[in-house]
Amino acid sequence: MQREIHTRLAAHDGSFYLDLCDEERRAVKLCADGWTIINARDAPVKFRRAKGMMPLPVPAAGGDAKLLRPSVNVASEEDFTLLLCWLVAALRADAVKYPVLSLTGEQGSAKSTVTLFLRNLFDPNFAPLRNTLRNQWDAILAANNSFCIALNNLSGLSQELSDTLVCIADGLGFATRTHHSMTEETLFHTRRPIIANGISDIATKRDLVDRAICLHLPAIDSSKRISDDKLLAEFDKARPLILGGLLNGVCAAMRELPNTKIEDTPRMAEFAAWGTAAESGLGLPRGAFMEAYRLNREASNAAALDASLVASAIISELDVWTKGEKMQSKSNETVLRAIK
């Protein structure tokens, strides 16, 4: 009898299972009615524990995901809403695609700290942040041996690596020649949430822009800085409550998704519906996610246009034709599709 082996998160018969990866071998079962902590041996799924995986804290009942707010340096409440919904989407075990989270900001904007905290909420690892992936093979190995890929301080993405991250977020397969064989292939199939940060815009290729939430972190005033040790201690103290709140959001999304309808559906329609369905569990106002997501897509399209020499030339010509009137977001998307 063959059994599928999962890393950190699994779906089975309408429920999700999150491996806490602790010595007691516990897991969390999530369904539309709520979540409970169970013995992993009683789960109908099997988990593997790859080298480097670390335990999650036991989630606290009555938790609140908004307790994360003091630990993350984001520019607005809309950006914080997107962070929460991205985390809830990352905890969706039956996702067809995962959105990519891109964080940018100047030196001292706490990009690495925010990336570390986000990963530690659902997939802590002994080596949580990677400074680079040299090629497609590095990316595939990272995805095969952990649930989340977190890339730190990138100076940009090559076309090959950008395409590879899109494939990993979408859950597409990879094949490579088996070692010591001339004709056999080794196949990999992974679907993973991805976080990437850098000073300049990372998601500039069209396919990645369509799948990304792009947040620019503001500079932190020197008078408001606190030590890393103190920030980490406060985050670790709140982590069980934050995780419990995120699990509430997942359960709410599982419950509300069948009745959730999205008008003017974006490219990541599944993520849009899931984020909207999770609002009540996260304590967000109705419609808050889609408004934040709409504004973010407009800003991301504008950034992608700025990064394209061809698009910039086309826009310059259009600006002349329209006597300097600003292009609207739909026009931006039209230009991006034209140069794809």
Side-chain angles (χ1 to χ4, degrees):
M1 179 181 178
Q2 292 185 342
R3 299 285 297 271
E4 183 178 1
I5 305 299
H6 303 272
T7 302
R8 188 67 78 175
L9 192 65
H12 179 80
D13 197 22
S15 297
F16 299 163
Y17 296 87
L18 175 66
D19 182 16
L20 293 182
C21 206
D22 57 6
E23 293 183 356
E24 292 79 6
R25 306 196 69 82
R26 290 173 292 186
V28 181
K29 178 181 179 181
L30 301 97
C31 58
D33 295 332
W35 55 269
T36 56
I37 298 173
I38 64 173
N39 192 305
R41 289 191 295 268
D42 298 329
V45 295
K46 299 298 180 184
F47 291 105
R48 64 186 283 260
R49 293 183 173 179
K51 185 177 181 180
M53 290 179 64
M54 295 180 66
L56 282 164
V58 177
D64 185 355
K66 291 182 179 179
L67 293 174
L68 175 64
R69 185 66 178 92
S71 299
V72 293
N73 176 43
V74 291
S76 65
E77 291 309 309
E78 288 79 10
D79 284 1
F80 184 62
T81 293
L82 291 174
L83 269 191
L84 291 183
C85 290
W86 181 85
L87 284 164
V88 169
L91 285 163
R92 183 177 183 180
D94 64 351
V96 176
K97 300 177 180 180
Y98 284 112
V100 176
L101 180 62
S102 171
L103 304 175
T104 60
E106 63 183 68
Q107 290 182 346
S109 57
K111 299 182 299 297
S112 298
T113 300
V114 172
T115 302
L116 175 65
F117 286 178
L118 295 179
R119 179 167 188 178
N120 280 350
L121 283 171
F122 65 97
D123 186 42
N125 193 280
F126 182 76
L129 306 182
R130 295 174 180 260
N131 288 331
T132 184
L133 295 174
R134 294 170 297 177
N135 49 42
Q136 184 186 70
W137 182 240
D138 278 359
I140 295 169
L141 288 178
N144 191 60
N145 288 291
S146 62
F147 181 65
C148 175
I149 297 178
L151 305 176
N152 189 47
N153 286 330
L154 298 183
S155 57
L157 288 175
S158 66
Q159 184 67 59
E160 178 191 16
L161 188 52
S162 180
D163 291 343
T164 300
L165 294 182
V166 167
C167 290
I168 290 173
D170 284 0
L172 302 181
F174 298 90
T176 186
R177 182 173 64 85
T178 302
H179 288 174
H180 311 297
S181 170
M182 293 297 294
T183 59
E184 296 295 323
E185 286 187 324
T186 298
L187 304 177
F188 295 87
H189 181 270
T190 56
R191 182 182 293 107
R192 299 288 186 254
I194 298 167
I195 315 171
N197 75 59
I199 292 177
S200 58
D201 288 319
I202 301 164
T204 57
K205 309 297 189 296
R206 179 59 181 174
D207 280 350
L208 188 57
V209 169
D210 280 344
R211 292 160 175 80
I213 296 174
C214 302
L215 304 182
H216 185 77
L217 307 187
I220 301 175
D221 189 276
S222 59
S223 64
K224 297 181 179 180
R225 290 189 176 277
I226 62 176
S227 68
D228 289 344
D229 289 344
K230 181 178 179 181
L231 186 63
L232 181 60
E234 292 175 351
F235 171 74
D236 281 340
K237 182 178 179 180
R239 195 154 61 122
L241 289 165
I242 298 170
L243 179 57
L246 292 173
L247 298 182
N248 292 339
V250 174
C251 294
M254 297 173 75
R255 182 173 61 252
E256 301 296 333
L257 186 63
N259 301 316
T260 300
K261 305 297 180 184
I262 302 295
E263 296 181 1
D264 193 18
T265 305
R267 173 84 177 263
M268 292 289 286
E270 181 191 51
F271 170 56
W274 186 258
T276 300
E279 288 174 341
S280 62
L282 294 172
L284 298 174
R286 186 173 183 178
F289 166 73
M290 278 306 298
E291 177 61 16
Y293 191 35
R294 179 185 64 80
L295 294 173
N296 188 259
R297 284 181 56 80
E298 291 178 1
S300 299
N301 285 328
L305 287 173
D306 289 341
S308 169
L309 295 177
V310 176
S312 296
I314 294 174
I315 292 171
S316 295
E317 290 298 321
L318 289 175
D319 282 343
V320 173
W321 294 342
T322 58
K323 297 180 180 180
E325 293 181 0
K326 292 182 179 180
M327 297 181 65
Q328 301 299 315
S329 60
K330 290 185 179 179
S331 299
N332 288 351
E333 293 189 355
T334 299
V335 174
L336 282 171
R337 286 194 293 270
I339 65 172
K340 182 180 177 182

